[in-house]
């Protein structure tokens, strides 16, 4: 049993060291391990990091129990497995789960472009493609665009996205000066008379 403990401890430590040294290269290995663990996943509890940490702690606890306690093989394995499982769950609850919940996504769907305003970055010919600049949240995006009504849209013209084509091209229309003005959004002022 000592060999299995050493294998778990050494393998976990080696994997952790490789993870630190070759962070980007091991992403594929972690995804493969994550796929294998998904078969046993109960409500997102198991993940590769927690699993490897649990195996490492199992190996270390087994070696300590075998060397210093001498309970016998079965009790040692049960206790080492329990310590490894508790460690894996604790790591998941204290570190992995909060980190996953704190991840932000700046992604957005193509459908969210409809109604957004921007500016023609390059001229959009009547029957061709150009480029527009549209702000999406804190991001500025450059997108391929075509004229919605088939009219020429010169560069630097304020535009509005009317539709998104199936291929992802934004169909845009030019904004007139009144439509683009902040005053156009405000309701007209009314003259109040005291009667």
């Amino acid at each position: 049993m000592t060999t299995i403990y050493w294998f778990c401890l050494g393998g976990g430590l080696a994997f952790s060291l490789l993870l630190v040294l070759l962070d980007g290269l091991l992403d594929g290995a972690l995804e493969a391990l994550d796929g294998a663990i998904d078969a046993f996943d109960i409500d997102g509890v198991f993940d590769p990091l927690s699993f490897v940490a649990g195996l490492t702690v199992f190996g270390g606890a087994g070696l300590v129990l075998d060397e210093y306690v001498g309970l016998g093989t079965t009790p040692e394995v049960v206790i080492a497995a329990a310590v490894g499982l508790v460690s894996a769950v604790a790591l998941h609850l204290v570190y992995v789960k909060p980190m996953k919940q704190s991840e932000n996504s700046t992604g957005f769907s193509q459908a969210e472009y409809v109604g957004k305003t921007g500016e023609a970055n390059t001229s959009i010919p009547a029957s061709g493609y150009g480029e527009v600049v549209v702000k999406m949240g804190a991001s500025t995006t450059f997108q391929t665009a075509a004229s919605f009504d088939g009219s020429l849209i010169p560069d630097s013209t304020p535009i509005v996205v009317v539709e998104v084509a199936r291929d992802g091209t934004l169909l845009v229309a030019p904004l007139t000066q009144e439509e683009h003005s902040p005053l156009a959004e405000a309701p007209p002022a009314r003259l109040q008379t005291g009667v």
Side-chain angles (χ1 to χ4, degrees):
M1 206 59 204
T2 305
T3 306
I4 293 174
Y5 294 146
W6 276 113
F7 179 76
C8 290
L9 179 65
L13 292 175
F15 189 79
S16 299
L17 182 64
L18 284 174
L19 188 61
V20 169
L21 296 177
L22 306 172
D23 183 34
L25 299 176
L26 289 179
D27 285 341
L30 282 175
E31 288 177 18
L33 184 59
D34 195 23
I37 294 172
D38 279 344
F40 304 104
D41 197 5
I42 303 168
D43 195 30
V45 172
F46 291 116
D47 60 88
L49 182 62
S50 301
F51 181 74
V52 171
L55 279 179
T56 306
V57 171
F58 165 76
L63 286 171
V64 169
L65 290 170
D66 189 44
E67 182 69 27
Y68 296 109
V69 179
L71 294 174
T73 305
T74 304
E76 286 175 3
V77 170
V78 170
I79 293 171
V83 170
L85 182 63
V86 167
S87 299
V89 171
L91 177 70
H92 178 79
L93 294 176
V94 172
Y95 179 74
V96 175
K97 190 174 182 180
M99 292 302 278
K100 283 183 179 180
Q101 290 174 343
S102 71
E103 290 177 355
N104 285 344
S105 173
T106 57
F108 45 85
S109 71
Q110 289 285 91
E112 291 181 59
Y113 279 108
V114 176
K116 297 286 185 186
T117 58
E119 186 176 286
N121 194 38
T122 61
S123 294
I124 303 171
S127 61
Y129 298 97
E131 185 178 64
V132 294
V133 179
V134 180
K135 285 195 65 89
M136 292 295 286
S139 302
T140 301
T141 65
F142 295 84
Q143 300 292 321
T144 304
S147 176
F148 177 72
D149 59 4
S151 62
L152 170 70
I153 303 173
D155 63 339
S156 300
T157 302
I159 56 94
V160 63
V161 179
V162 179
E163 190 178 324
V164 179
R166 287 182 184 219
D167 65 354
T169 301
L170 303 183
L171 302 177
V172 299
L175 285 174
T176 62
Q177 190 67 317
E178 296 82 35
E179 290 172 323
H180 191 60
S181 167
L183 297 175
E185 297 173 10
R190 296 180 188 244
L191 181 61
Q192 294 189 6
T193 57
V195 179

